[in-house]
Amino acid sequence: QLQLVESGGGLVQPGGSLRLACAASGFTLDDYAMSWFRQAPGKEREGVSCISARGGFIAYADSVKGRFTISRDNAKNTVYLQINNLKPEDTAVYYCAADKRHVPWTNIMCNMRTGTYDYWGQGTQVTVSS
């Protein structure tokens, strides 16, 4: 009933680009801070980027700054992650997540702690290899 679905992953060569999308169904995202996480085999899930509900605050992990761009279109109930200059180290399953419970803080802020988020997608695989 409440669902997030990621798409846009795939196999790409180093230096390539992908645009991931996370579409919500069963609820609207306008009150939700949103975040992207990733998890590589044998590694902990890590936060990549987050965006506040109103879009005014954005944060990135140091490893992706300058290469990844998060955005949202609340009218389309979708959040995006543009990934440029992909590196093999970016290979992971990418998940989106939504935080509703911390309203109204989420109107203007977000974080990348896994425990913050209420709803999670199933993930989309990004593989960077030559």
Side-chain angles (χ1 to χ4, degrees), residues 1-123:
Q1 188 174 16
L2 303 178
Q3 196 170 48
L4 296 171
V5 179
E6 301 94 338
S7 63
L11 175 64
V12 64
Q13 293 184 345
S17 298
L18 288 171
R19 191 190 192 201
L20 309 184
C22 174
S25 61
F27 65 104
T28 57
L29 294 181
D30 58 341
D31 291 334
Y32 290 70
M34 298 292 297
S35 186
W36 286 94
F37 293 79
R38 67 185 181 185
Q39 188 166 22
K43 298 183 66 177
E44 297 290 323
R45 187 172 299 187
E46 63 174 343
V48 173
S49 183
C50 72
I51 183 168
S52 63
R54 296 178 182 175
F57 180 86
I58 292 173
Y60 297 98
D62 289 342
S63 60
V64 306
K65 286 180 180 177
R67 299 189 297 119
F68 289 22
T69 303
I70 192 170
S71 62
R72 66 190 301 154
D73 187 339
N74 287 344
K76 295 182 178 179
N77 225 25
T78 302
V79 63
Y80 303 94
L81 186 69
Q82 177 68 42
I83 310 175
N84 297 325
N85 192 24
L86 277 158
K87 303 176 180 180
E89 304 88 82
D90 297 319
T91 296
V93 177
Y94 284 71
Y95 302 88
C96 67
D99 174 18
K100 177 66 177 294
R101 58 180 167 171
H102 299 107
V103 175
W105 178 86
T106 47
N107 288 337
I108 59 172
M109 291 293 293
C110 65
N111 65 38
M112 293 183 286
R113 301 185 183 95
T114 58
T116 297
Y117 291 87
D118 303 295
Y119 305 104
W120 292 82
Q122 296 298 308

